[in-house]
Amino acid sequence: MTDLTIQNQQGQLMDALEIKGAELAAVVGQIARLGGDAECAKEAAKRLSEALYWADRAIGAFDGSV
């Protein structure tokens, strides 16, 4: 693979993570409101936030910012 191909794929991965993270956060945010367990929803939101943080740090390795 060329550097340009890799950079393109990295950019697509970062975009996908941002979009999917926002979608998941919206879904988790609706759990308690729709009658789900509020404590579990709060824990899910916390863990999602942590997962997105670690994924962002891992992606930072693409440009050496970690």
Side-chain angles (χ1 to χ4, degrees):
M1 268 191 244
T2 67
D3 286 343
L4 186 58
T5 301
I6 291 171
Q7 288 174 345
N8 186 31
Q9 290 177 342
Q10 289 171 341
Q12 290 174 353
L13 181 65
M14 290 186 295
D15 290 345
L17 180 62
E18 185 176 339
I19 291 166
K20 295 299 182 190
E23 289 174 353
L24 282 170
V27 169
V28 169
Q30 293 181 39
I31 293 172
R33 185 176 62 80
L34 295 174
D37 185 298
E39 286 302 312
C40 288
K42 192 184 297 185
E43 186 66 24
K46 175 183 167 192
R47 290 178 185 232
L48 174 60
S49 177
E50 290 171 354
L52 292 172
Y53 167 80
W54 286 108
D56 189 54
R57 287 209 44 194
I59 287 172
F62 290 163
D63 64 8
S65 63
V66 172

